Structure formats: structure tokens, C-alpha cells
Amino acid sequence: MSDVQIPGAFKELFQPGWRDAAYYGGRGGAKSHSVAGALVIQAAANPLRVVCAREIQESLKDSVKQLIEDKISDYGLQDHFEALRDETRAKNGGKFVYKGMWRNPDALKSLEGADVFWGEEANRFSSRSIRLIRPTMRKPGSRMIWTWNPEFDHDPIDKLFRGPGGAPPNSIVREVSFKDNPWFAGTPLQAEMEHDYKIDPAAAAHVWGGGYVSAVEGSYYVKQLAKVREEGRITSLARDPVLRVRAFWDLGYRDATSIWIAQFVGREIRVLDYIEGRGQQMAYYIEQLRSLGWGDALQELPHDGAQQRVTAIGSAEEILRAAGFEVRTIPNQGKGAALERVEASRRLFPSIWFNDTPPVAAGIKALAAYHEKRDENRNIGLGPMHDWASDPADAFGLMCVAYEEPTIARKSQQARPVSWMG
């Protein structure tokens, strides 16, 4: 086997006695390369079943399969492994499989009997996925490895390993950065890092230093969300029993479907809940709305809710009406609709309160990441970037475009949001 270069910060991967190994930090710390290398070495010596996972994996191109097989080649271990289309098989009976966890029953089944789970880009994992992964990794001696560059302190993986309650028992929790990589100095990455710190220290502190995101470049709502936190408008909110509850949708046909649950209380918008799914049928969202107590909410759909047929049964509007929901479809806002939603949201942000729950926190995270796409050559904006954050942001924007102050005056509307704490 060729010389192996793995930073000393990862030496515990070769030691027994741990259940979780959590490595977080900025770029240049060689987290992915070190874990991949350690797993390849161990899998060549023992018949390990390793599940390499990301929260969302549209194809194997999104996985660490190529990285694993590069390490096999780098270490001269080709005779010990066979690269197949969707897995990497060891000649001793072990194998690497590559899965996306989001709403994927097949991925959970793959964990049964697994020796090692590796969650790459663990900051993307939902709390639901983490809750399902941990008890499913129940083979005696099984281990879980998590690697990520921190984004927000309310991300489920950060709350699990870095939260006030402390990490789970038998955990290795290690911050690693370029400072822990003895082969970083003199590389092109070092020059890139130094340049980033020079032109944008705040962004570099996240990318390279592993700090939490202070602002996504070009974020539409960074100032508004900072004000929300400063003014304590993320708090425990109770549903007003008199006023109507509304569910604002962005329909995902090839990407995520997002739903914000809110009430318009006087001049305030109170965001009570957030629901998201990917690749689910309408029946899933209907069940979620009912089980979470929002079965009586007015369903507010974007214009395509009446136009596109999401199943052989009919459009989203038709399906929801058939299920007994009251539905309103908001007309097409025409050209420039996305930026109109942004402006409506910015205008109303001072009146918006958020319920302090994990689902709503996930939605807020998307709002913080919603940003402008730019043509760097011409230095012009090209409108909102369509990525994982755009669907929840579109549903949020629909809520703001549809906002209308309730006409029934009630004394409680002039009070601050009702808290479960009184």
C-alpha cells in the first residue's frame, strides 16, 4: 500500500470505543478526504459494510463514491475492491453503498446490519433523518461518522453535538480546519484562503474558519432576519382560536413542496408552522396538515395549483377540494413575480413573528439562504437563485403578497403574540 497521509486530528477513527465521530470546521481541513481514506484502509482489512449518505442525493454524482474510489487508487488498493455502478465492493465481502436519506425508506433499510454510517455535509440532515438513522444503526459495535461545515447554530447536527445538552455518550467531537492539515501550506488553496480573508473576512470566517453563517452573499433577507432576532420575534406562539389559519404553498413537481402555516392577526403575521417534502404525493401533505392540526386551514395556492395536474386525479386545487379543504388559488403575478414577492416580504418583515419550533427554524434557515443569482462577468443581478432555498422562500413570498389585514377589530390583536409562557 502506498504512503497514506491523514492528519493527526482524525487518529481516533482508527481507535475503538466510540459510537459517534463528529468532525466540523471550515474548508481545507481535509475532513472528507481523511474520513474516506480511513474507511478505505479499514475496509481493505475487514469486511465492513459502510453506508455513505447525504440528506439529498439526486444521483451518484452527488455522492462520495468517486472520492472513495480515488482513495482506493491513491493507496494502491485496486486489487482489494471492485467499482460497480451503484456501489463499491470489497473482495473480502464488505462494500460501500451510497444513499440519499430524505424520505427514502430504501436508505433506512440499508442501515440495518451496517458497520459504519458516514453522513457527509451533515449540516443538511433534517432532525427527522437523524432521529431515524441513530436507532437503525443498531448492529453491535456499529459507528456513525459525521462531517460538515457549520452554517447555523440551530441546524439539527449542531444542536446534537454542539448544543447546550452536550454530545451523545461515547462521542468524538472535533473542530478541524486548515490549521490541522499539515499539507495545506503552500497549496493553491492557501492562496485562495488568504485572498478570501482579504476581500470578505466575514464570508471567509465561515468558509475557511468554520464559523456560523453571518450572511449568505446576496441574501435578500439578511437585514430583516437580523432584526427579527434582535427584537425577539422568534418566540413561542399560540394559535388564535378565533382567527382563520392559512396555509401558503409552493408546489414542487421536480423539487421541494413548501407550506407555511400562518395567521393574520391585526397588523401582524404570525408564522405558526412549516411543512416541507420532496418527491411526495399530495396525500402526504394532506396527512401532514391534518395530523399537525391544520386541517381547517384555508389552503392558499400559487397560480399553478389550478393549472398543473400533479397526478392522474387532477390539479393540486382539485385534490385538496376533494379532500374537504377550502382552497384559494392566487392569480399569476406575471413577469417579475419573484421579485414582487421579495419586495412584499421585505415590506412586511417588521410585522412578522415566528414560532420557535424546529420546523419553523428550518424554514427560517432557507429564508436566510435565499439570494440573488449574479452574472459575475457583467456584475449584474439575474433574479433569485433557484436552489434548495427558493421553494420555501417562494411560499413565504406568496404569504406576503396575499396578506390582508383582518377587518374584525379585536382587543387581542393589539397585544403582543400570546406565549405558552403567559
Side-chain angles (χ1 to χ4, degrees):
M1 183 172 68
S2 302
D3 289 341
V4 175
Q5 294 184 336
I6 296 178
F10 301 90
K11 63 184 179 182
E12 291 98 341
L13 291 176
F14 296 92
Q15 299 172 358
W18 54 270
R19 168 68 168 166
D20 289 276
Y23 295 99
Y24 67 93
R27 189 180 178 194
K31 296 184 295 295
S32 299
H33 283 266
S34 298
V35 171
L39 290 176
V40 164
I41 292 168
Q42 294 173 51
N46 300 284
L48 298 179
R49 183 175 176 183
V50 182
V51 178
C52 303
R54 296 193 179 196
E55 177 71 343
I56 297 174
Q57 181 177 295
E58 301 290 354
S59 70
L60 284 173
K61 291 181 180 179
D62 302 324
S63 74
V64 295
K65 185 174 188 289
Q66 188 62 57
L67 177 59
I68 291 291
E69 291 170 0
D70 286 346
K71 291 301 175 186
I72 291 171
S73 178
D74 291 344
Y75 299 163
L77 294 171
Q78 296 93 325
D79 291 342
H80 295 263
F81 295 92
E82 181 182 9
L84 303 179
R85 188 180 69 85
D86 55 1
E87 66 180 47
T88 308
R89 190 171 297 171
K91 301 292 180 65
N92 59 18
K95 64 179 178 179
F96 289 83
V97 296
Y98 309 93
K99 300 291 183 181
M101 300 306 300
W102 180 254
R103 308 292 186 188
N104 185 356
D106 178 62
L108 282 174
K109 290 179 182 177
S110 71
L111 298 180
E112 298 174 1
D115 297 289
V116 181
F117 169 86
W118 176 19
E120 168 70 333
E121 293 189 355
N123 55 298
R124 303 293 188 192
F125 279 70
S126 65
S127 56
R128 179 182 184 275
S129 291
I130 294 172
R131 286 197 307 269
L132 292 173
I133 290 164
R134 297 187 65 78
T136 310
M137 286 293 295
R138 54 179 172 264
K139 181 178 179 180
S142 60
R143 300 168 292 166
M144 289 170 281
I145 303 172
W146 311 86
T147 53
W148 76 99
N149 189 339
E151 285 192 296
F152 303 97
D153 60 0
H154 58 251
D155 284 339
I157 198 68
D158 276 87
K159 292 174 71 174
L160 177 63
F161 289 107
R162 304 174 67 193
N170 302 318
S171 293
I172 299 165
V173 182
R174 185 86 66 241
E175 180 178 7
V176 290
S177 70
F178 62 90
K179 298 176 184 178
D180 300 290
N181 183 354
W183 301 282
F184 181 80
T187 66
L189 283 179
Q190 182 184 25
E192 183 179 341
M193 179 200 68
E194 292 171 350
H195 177 71
D196 287 350
Y197 270 105
K198 182 178 180 180
I199 64 172
D200 193 341
H206 163 61
V207 173
W208 298 97
Y212 291 120
V213 171
S214 58
V216 173
E217 184 178 0
S219 171
Y220 287 114
Y221 304 132
V222 60
K223 294 180 180 178
Q224 289 78 9
L225 287 170
K227 201 70 174 175
V228 165
R229 293 188 172 92
E230 177 185 329
E231 296 177 354
R233 285 187 277 121
I234 302 176
T235 187
S236 295
L237 301 180
R239 170 178 177 167
D240 188 307
V242 176
L243 296 177
R244 163 163 270 173
V245 176
R246 301 165 184 263
F248 295 92
W249 292 61
D250 181 76
L251 294 160
Y253 300 100
R254 296 181 181 86
D255 43 22
T257 288
S258 301
I259 309 171
W260 290 94
I261 309 296
Q263 285 187 301
F264 298 162
V265 184
R267 295 181 180 275
E268 295 173 353
I269 298 175
R270 299 183 186 174
V271 177
L272 303 176
D273 205 355
Y274 176 70
I275 300 168
E276 183 176 299
R278 181 179 292 268
Q280 300 292 332
Q281 299 296 320
M282 285 294 294
Y284 167 79
Y285 303 104
I286 290 171
E287 189 278 331
Q288 287 284 296
L289 288 163
R290 288 174 173 162
S291 65
L292 294 170
W294 312 121
D296 60 344
L298 171 63
Q299 307 300 309
E300 306 253 21
L301 302 180
H303 70 95
D304 56 353
Q307 297 173 357
Q308 298 194 34
R309 303 181 71 84
V310 296
T311 70
I313 301 174
S315 67
E317 178 181 332
E318 292 167 338
I319 294 170
L320 287 169
R321 290 191 189 281
F325 289 90
E326 185 178 355
V327 183
R328 181 174 75 145
T329 300
I330 297 173
N332 191 350
Q333 298 157 282
K335 187 176 181 179
L339 288 178
E340 183 178 339
R341 291 192 293 268
V342 169
E343 291 307 313
S345 300
R346 283 172 165 170
R347 184 174 65 252
L348 290 172
F349 245 110
S351 302
I352 300 176
W353 293 70
F354 294 89
N355 205 6
D356 188 11
T357 65
V360 174
I364 293 173
K365 174 181 175 180
L367 296 179
Y370 187 49
H371 64 286
E372 183 180 53
K373 182 178 181 180
R374 295 195 63 80
D375 184 326
E376 299 298 340
N377 293 327
R378 295 184 291 164
N379 194 30
I380 59 172
L382 301 176
M385 171 71 77
H386 184 74
D387 59 11
W388 67 274
S390 59
D391 302 303
D394 282 344
F396 187 86
L398 184 73
M399 174 185 74
C400 294
V401 167
Y403 170 74
E404 52 188 27
E405 185 177 336
T407 55
I408 300 176
R410 299 173 66 250
K411 290 183 179 179
S412 65
Q413 294 176 5
Q414 299 173 6
R416 295 180 66 179
V418 179
S419 168
W420 291 113
M421 300 301 291

